[in-house]
Amino acid sequence: MFGLWRTFTSVVFYLTLAVGLGGLLGNGLVLWHLGLRIKKGPFSVYVLHLAAADSLFLGCQVVFSIVQTALGSEDSLYLVVTFLGFATGLWLLAAFSLERCVSEIFPDCYASCRPRHASGVVCGLLWALTLPAVLLPAHACGQLRARARPLACLRFHAASVAWLLALACVAGVAALVLFLWVACCSRRPRPRFYGAVLGSGLLLLFCGLPYLFYWSLRPLLHFLLPVFPPLATLLACVHAASKPLIYFTAGRQPGKREPLRAVLQRALGDGAQLGAAGLSLPMSPL
């Protein structure tokens, strides 16, 4: 029985490591092209920050997993630092999905009322807000090597979990509304970003939420269902690593070989310039 458990944990560990390294490569390519080779539009800013948050999560997960395996012990501080990247990605995904949904349903109002630098400001605020949302409950619960305060831990942790679940619901509902609008109500051609938003929402539902539940009920799950934490971590790595594949699938044209920057630009559909080679793509319908 113990041999079977050790085999299972080893397989999940190496799968998590492989997915994490592959995700770092994919998100690194997205960061390279969006950060240096593509003139950023409003939605590519969200994707750039999403790739940074996913890279943070995957990098911490890979490094801390190797360290924990080498030392043979687990430190709750590792989980807190890793969860910062996951939580930031969740906030950014909710904002990205919601804005994409609004841009499709109310295109005229969106184009006339949206401030020019709204995406950058929103992303900066979300990075800043993630720190207290994760670190305050972690500090109150003694995960930052401080003395635990049970009542404060319960209050902060419940508020943090409720907020993160609300963000997950916002991202999922925005993707669902966009799907129903494009499928049933809109008379325009299906926008390119439709696949990116819908795919990200499905990934969050099936691969992201288990890790959120793991963060919420970690001591109880370790005791009652020890198989759940490693599987939730693996699924969270799949969630962070698969977004570049979604962008590539949404932006590629079958039968054509194109530069990755052109595929990314088409998938995002915000009409920004492709700076590296002087290329530009027509704006996709918003």
Side-chain angles (χ1 to χ4, degrees):
M1 185 68 179
F2 290 105
L4 183 62
W5 172 249
R6 282 195 297 269
T7 301
F8 170 78
T9 54
S10 297
V11 170
V12 172
F13 169 77
Y14 286 113
L15 282 175
T16 303
L17 194 62
V19 171
L21 292 173
L24 282 173
L25 176 61
N27 283 289
L29 289 173
V30 173
L31 285 171
W32 166 259
H33 285 284
L34 289 183
L36 299 176
R37 307 193 69 185
I38 297 177
K39 185 178 179 181
K40 290 176 285 298
F43 298 110
S44 56
V45 171
Y46 283 113
V47 175
L48 178 67
H49 284 266
L50 263 174
D54 289 337
S55 296
L56 174 63
F57 170 75
L58 292 170
C60 290
Q61 185 62 52
V62 168
V63 172
F64 291 155
S65 296
I66 294 174
V67 170
Q68 288 176 7
T69 301
L71 298 178
S73 62
E74 180 178 344
D75 193 330
S76 59
L77 178 62
Y78 296 163
L79 179 64
V80 174
V81 177
T82 305
F83 191 75
L84 277 172
F86 178 85
T88 305
L90 182 58
W91 288 61
L92 291 167
L93 181 61
F96 172 65
S97 301
L98 184 61
E99 188 165 339
R100 266 311 194 185
C101 183
V102 171
S103 72
E104 173 65 18
I105 297 177
F106 307 106
D108 296 332
C109 180
Y110 175 83
S112 60
C113 298
R114 184 186 186 279
R116 182 179 178 183
H117 299 291
S119 298
V121 173
V122 169
C123 290
L125 287 174
L126 294 183
W127 279 98
L129 290 173
T130 304
L131 290 173
V134 175
L135 295 183
L136 283 177
H139 182 269
C141 296
Q143 293 177 303
L144 299 181
R145 296 172 181 168
R147 183 180 177 183
R149 295 172 291 161
L151 292 180
C153 172
L154 183 61
R155 290 197 298 268
F156 280 122
H157 192 66
S160 175
V161 169
W163 183 241
L164 290 171
L165 285 174
L167 290 172
C169 290
V170 168
V173 169
L176 178 62
V177 170
L178 182 62
F179 168 75
L180 294 176
W181 177 265
V182 172
C184 304
C185 303
S186 179
R187 297 181 180 179
R188 292 179 294 177
R190 191 176 73 178
R192 282 283 180 180
F193 64 78
Y194 168 81
V197 175
L198 185 60
S200 299
L202 291 175
L203 263 181
L204 175 63
L205 177 63
F206 293 106
C207 298
L209 284 183
Y211 192 76
L212 185 55
F213 288 133
Y214 168 46
W215 166 261
S216 307
L217 305 170
R218 188 170 66 96
L220 186 63
L221 289 173
H222 272 293
F223 179 72
L224 295 179
L225 197 61
V227 71
F228 187 82
L231 287 178
T233 302
L234 173 60
L235 289 174
C237 288
V238 172
H239 172 253
S242 298
K243 293 192 186 77
L245 294 177
I246 291 177
Y247 306 147
F248 176 77
T249 303
R252 68 184 293 268
Q253 291 183 337
K256 285 188 177 183
R257 298 185 63 181
E258 298 177 298
L260 181 59
R261 62 183 181 272
V263 175
L264 280 173
Q265 187 61 54
R266 189 179 296 109
L268 299 177
D270 57 8
Q273 296 290 324
L274 293 174
L279 297 173
S280 64
L281 293 174
M283 181 178 293
S284 297
L286 294 178

